[in-house]
Amino acid sequence: MRRNERCERVAMQILNTNYPQNMLSGGLVNGQASFAGLRHAQTLSPAEVIQLISQSGLRGRSGVSRPAADKWHLCAAQTTDGKLIVMNTVDGDPLLPAAATLLAANPAGVIEGLLIAAHAVGAQQAIICVDGQNSGQKASLEAILRDLTAKGVTGSVKFGLADVPAKYVTREDTALIAALEGKPAMSGLVPPMPAAKGFQGRPTLIHHAETFAQVAALFRQAAAGETLQQTKLYSIAGSVKNSGICELTLGVSAQTVLELAGGLKEEETLKFIQVGGPNGFIFTGDELDITLDYAAFEEKGRWLANTSINVCDSKICIVDYVKKCEDFCEKASCGKCVMGREGTWQLREFVHDMTVGKSKNEDLDMVQEISQGIHDGALCPVCQTAGAPLASALERFAGEFEQHMKRRKCPTLVCNKYVTFHILPEKCTGCGECLPKCPVSAIAGDSGLIHVIDQDTCNTCGICETVCRPIADAVARAGLVKPQTPEEPIPVGTFKRKAGGLGGGLRRR
């Protein structure tokens, strides 16, 4: 992914739970939408509708998660014409396809929430922003809107669909407005807030699809005289038995989500989890009781942009993992502000140096200074949070970072520059597939012969490992203890191992 390039999302199954499915199936009667929440909202004044949103404590479900009522109050207070509601269906976190899941399971519920918001702020027009490359989702929404319009559900609100780029930065309101106006998807300065002066200078209330789905759920509860209770879409992926997405009450623990996923895969040991996407915080297995709630995170000086959990086992190198996070953040940056553009690039480079033996002792102080500078000086949350993975990982895995930086050692044998590659003679079939692929011609062998890697020539690129994995899986990584291999190619099946075996420090991936 190049800077500000399209961000691909992962399709996920819906996990079965005993929790209320207020958004995924709420308001459906025999598969048909009841719109009970909308009918109840229409019996209230706009001020009363906003008051209920305020009382519920609802926050936006994308970006910085500000109180939704603040936006509604500001937009409703504007006296200019042409107020607009914008629904963002681009999911920010690649591992949390919230909008895609809701629009597939209960699209009417999402639109119901939007109509309630339009009633509250006095908007007569709505735009649903869709991924321009997802033609199926767009066609489905068009069909639903035609049906609801024909039934009179949409009232005086006129709907339109707009293609926007599926980029990480478009979860941020000002970047989304720029995309809608045909400009590069880049964050802008606030104030003025979009709710006061947004798309084409008009008061614009912007929310993610999940926020609108939750609005409808809250008003259905109010219509039934129930206590208002928020739910949230959570996702879990990585080293778990069942990756997926589920709807749970807001404020469950990470342990609860892990249990719903069936726990860790067999024979795996939990090392850490990351909560909140590629720029989220990292926690150890001893912190699984952490409450996945906005207020709980803020009490600890953290932020909860979303509720995705990536579970990582003991085979994962924390330094390499953080490098990938910082690489994502740098590429997700729109590049508009200096701190976002240069700061994320510097963070990525510093962590990359840690994985290839180029880091210096003073680098840790530098990355902490850069992280704080980005947080304080970047325009939007996409970059402001870029230092979170590194800072939280350093706090919990300082020893592993030190091994990389001072001892030039990767204990998990993941970082190529800190390992050697060997072809295991018992597994090599002598197929020759790896020979032409080696960029430095470090592999000796021929058809029917056990191949041997010249360690003095090998540049540890790992291409041989990638080539061999689906064929014979004969390439292994080694640390200080090396496997026994022949000194030169010999016929397949003739190698005799000496006493002592492979020893430790060996890993096949």
Side-chain angles (χ1 to χ4, degrees):
M1 189 174 78
R2 297 182 296 275
R3 182 181 292 279
N4 205 12
E5 194 179 35
R6 175 182 172 83
C7 183
E8 299 294 340
R9 271 76 190 175
V10 178
M12 285 191 164
Q13 65 173 331
I14 297 177
L15 301 176
N16 294 323
T17 76
N18 294 321
Y19 287 80
Q21 302 298 283
N22 296 345
M23 293 186 291
L24 288 173
S25 59
L28 297 178
V29 180
N30 297 323
Q32 299 297 314
S34 65
F35 291 99
L38 176 60
R39 289 199 304 272
H40 178 67
Q42 289 171 339
T43 67
L44 305 175
S45 69
E48 290 172 327
V49 172
I50 297 176
Q51 180 62 26
L52 189 148
I53 292 296
S54 180
Q55 290 174 349
S56 73
L58 176 65
R59 298 198 189 196
R61 297 296 173 85
S62 181
V64 293
S65 305
R66 294 191 179 97
D70 291 352
K71 285 185 176 183
W72 292 39
H73 276 299
L74 180 59
C75 190
Q78 305 308 305
T79 57
T80 55
D81 295 330
K83 292 181 182 179
L84 177 67
I85 306 291
V86 172
M87 179 197 297
N88 190 357
T89 69
V90 175
D91 291 309
D93 187 343
L95 295 181
L96 183 59
T101 302
L102 288 166
L103 290 173
N106 189 7
V110 180
I111 295 170
E112 181 180 14
L114 186 155
L115 292 170
I116 292 171
H119 168 62
V121 303
Q124 301 295 312
Q125 184 182 357
I127 296 177
I128 300 179
C129 298
V130 298
D131 176 3
Q133 297 187 25
N134 191 341
S135 57
Q137 183 186 80
K138 185 176 181 179
S140 177
L141 280 169
E142 288 173 339
I144 292 168
L145 289 171
R146 282 196 301 269
D147 180 61
L148 295 180
T149 301
K151 293 177 179 178
V153 174
T154 58
S156 60
V157 179
K158 305 301 180 183
F159 278 83
L161 270 60
D163 294 347
V164 295
K167 298 178 179 179
Y168 193 67
V169 73
T170 50
R171 68 175 182 151
E172 197 276 323
D173 289 356
T174 59
L176 183 65
I177 290 173
L180 278 174
E181 293 177 340
K183 304 172 184 176
M186 291 185 169
S187 300
L189 294 170
V190 291
M193 304 300 290
K197 187 177 181 180
F199 178 66
Q200 296 178 342
R202 300 155 60 185
T204 306
L205 179 64
I206 304 174
H207 281 307
H208 184 264
E210 186 184 348
T211 309
F212 285 124
Q214 187 62 200
V215 168
L218 291 170
F219 277 86
R220 286 193 294 268
Q221 293 172 18
E226 300 172 356
T227 301
L228 300 183
Q229 182 184 49
Q230 290 188 54
T231 55
K232 183 79 181 70
L233 291 184
Y234 296 81
S235 70
I236 187 164
S239 300
V240 292
K241 292 180 179 177
N242 301 296
S243 296
I245 190 168
C246 54
E247 182 177 358
L248 310 173
T249 51
L250 184 63
V252 299
S253 68
Q255 179 68 49
T256 297
V257 184
L258 178 59
E259 291 172 356
L260 288 170
L264 269 70
K265 294 178 180 178
E266 298 294 337
E267 301 181 359
E268 300 289 6
T269 302
L270 178 64
K271 183 173 182 178
F272 64 89
I273 64 172
Q274 185 179 28
V275 177
N279 53 353
F281 289 86
I282 287 171
F283 302 94
T284 65
D286 295 332
E287 300 174 283
L288 292 180
D289 60 347
I290 183 171
T291 302
L292 302 179
D293 175 75
Y294 306 111
F297 265 59
E298 289 169 357
E299 287 176 0
K300 301 291 185 179
R302 307 177 184 124
W303 49 88
L304 184 64
N306 56 65
T307 47
S308 71
I309 302 174
N310 195 27
V311 179
C312 299
D313 58 52
S314 57
K315 297 191 295 293
I316 303 296
C317 169
I318 186 64
V319 183
D320 179 73
Y321 184 89
V322 170
K323 179 190 72 173
K324 293 174 181 175
C325 290
E326 300 304 346
D327 183 65
F328 181 96
C329 292
E330 191 270 337
K331 291 180 172 65
S333 163
C334 70
K336 183 172 184 177
C337 67
V338 173
M339 288 307 302
R341 181 178 65 251
E342 300 300 326
T344 57
W345 179 83
Q346 289 183 21
L347 276 187
R348 184 196 66 182
E349 291 300 298
F350 273 114
V351 182
H352 176 265
D353 285 350
M354 297 176 188
T355 66
V356 295
K358 295 181 179 180
S359 57
K360 306 178 181 65
N361 291 338
E362 59 268 23
D363 285 357
L364 288 181
D365 292 334
M366 183 63 71
V367 295
Q368 291 174 2
E369 182 179 337
I370 293 172
S371 296
Q372 189 62 49
I374 297 173
H375 183 268
D376 296 340
L379 277 178
C380 76
V382 173
C383 292
Q384 289 169 356
T385 57
L390 178 57
S392 54
L394 280 169
E395 182 181 346
R396 291 160 176 80
F397 295 97
E400 193 165 338
F401 276 87
E402 182 180 8
Q403 284 183 300
H404 282 72
M405 297 179 66
K406 294 183 178 180
R407 299 175 60 187
R408 302 297 193 244
K409 175 183 177 183
C410 177
T412 57
L413 305 183
V414 169
C415 299
N416 286 8
K417 291 300 180 181
Y418 300 146
V419 301
T420 52
F421 289 85
H422 306 265
I423 298 176
L424 301 179
E426 296 90 348
K427 302 193 72 175
C428 180
T429 62
C431 68
E433 290 293 326
C434 60
L435 298 177
K437 303 295 177 58
C438 179
V440 293
S441 301
I443 306 174
D446 206 338
S447 177
L449 299 181
I450 296 173
H451 303 341
V452 180
I453 298 176
D454 182 351
Q455 297 301 322
D456 292 331
T457 306
C458 178
N459 67 352
T460 67
C461 67
I463 292 177
C464 58
E465 179 185 48
T466 302
V467 171
C468 187
R469 186 178 298 123
I471 301 172
D473 195 23
V475 178
R477 295 168 175 239
L480 294 177
V481 180
K482 313 299 183 185
Q484 293 182 19
T485 62
E487 294 182 0
E488 58 185 26
I490 59 176
V492 170
T494 63
F495 179 73
K496 304 297 182 182
R497 182 171 301 281
K498 300 177 182 178
L502 290 175
L506 182 71
R507 176 180 174 185
R508 288 192 291 274
R509 300 183 70 198

